[in-house]
Amino acid sequence: MSTTQSERLRGLLEPLVSAADLDLEEIEVSRAGKRRMLRIIVDSDEGATLDACAELSRVISQKLDETDAMGEDEYVLEVSSPGADRPLTEYRHYVRATGRLVKLQLHESGELVARILTVDDEGLDLEVPGVKGRRPTARRVTFAEIAKARVEIEFNRKDKKEEEA
């Protein structure tokens, strides 16, 4: 997608997404056979529900029909939340991942898998799981040290409600 089209779509769609109390994370236009695919990724601190995505899809579709932002060619519109394994690139992504296990690729010291305990303007306070029965350890990582970050999917972790029961 050209930068001009991307900027135009962002300018057109961001107010609609904000009005739905969501954050516009990504806009992607790609080819799907003869048609184009317009994929809008949205999120919020509470997550983007299926109902919120469906309602936003109707609003965006109506707005795109009123404008020529997508031109005359056919396209498919998809509004969804980011996948569980999406990269953490913004401060708000780290805040939303508090309590989750993340895989960090650090510039200097390789890879680190740890749980985010707190996030501040400088970086993250982490709990590094113990290996072979050892106790977890605390570690501080600044944002400047992080090359890449991604949430790790946990299948066997109890959620907070289960732990409190």
Side-chain angles (χ1 to χ4, degrees):
M1 173 169 55
S2 71
T3 303
T4 306
Q5 184 183 24
S6 175
E7 290 169 357
R8 185 171 181 204
L9 284 170
R10 185 167 285 280
L12 183 69
L13 302 178
E14 199 138 35
L16 302 175
V17 174
S18 294
D21 291 327
L22 296 167
D23 296 317
L24 180 57
E25 295 291 344
E26 188 177 336
I27 298 173
E28 178 185 313
V29 177
S30 60
R31 282 264 168 224
K34 294 180 180 180
R35 296 182 184 164
R36 290 179 297 158
M37 169 74 85
L38 173 58
R39 182 172 288 124
I40 310 294
I41 307 296
V42 296
D43 203 5
S44 75
D45 289 344
E46 296 78 35
T49 66
L50 186 58
D51 288 341
C53 288
E55 178 57 32
L56 184 59
S57 179
R58 285 189 284 278
V59 170
I60 289 174
S61 180
Q62 182 179 356
K63 186 66 160 183
L64 291 173
D65 288 347
E66 294 171 1
T67 69
D68 67 343
M70 289 300 293
E72 296 298 318
D73 294 340
E74 290 184 22
Y75 65 92
V76 175
L77 173 64
E78 178 184 299
V79 178
S80 66
S81 62
D85 63 344
R86 68 113 181 252
L88 304 176
T89 57
E90 303 283 334
Y91 175 81
R92 68 178 178 264
H93 298 164
Y94 291 96
V95 171
R96 290 175 184 160
T98 299
R100 306 277 310 269
L101 196 64
V102 294
K103 182 185 284 189
L104 304 171
Q105 184 65 45
L106 304 176
H107 289 291
E108 305 273 330
S109 56
E111 196 173 270
L112 173 66
V113 176
R115 189 167 311 283
I116 298 176
L117 299 176
T118 61
V119 180
D120 61 34
D121 293 339
E122 307 296 318
L124 313 170
D125 288 317
L126 304 168
E127 178 184 76
V128 181
V131 179
K132 295 184 180 178
R134 292 191 178 140
R135 299 174 72 65
T137 57
R139 178 155 178 197
R140 175 79 179 166
V141 174
T142 65
F143 288 119
E145 295 175 79
I146 302 171
K148 293 180 185 176
R150 182 176 303 278
V151 170
E152 286 287 280
I153 299 172
E154 295 179 88
F155 293 105
N156 60 351
R157 182 162 190 238
K158 295 178 182 178
D159 66 14
K160 290 179 185 178
K161 290 178 186 173
E162 287 180 45
E163 289 175 359
E164 292 170 0

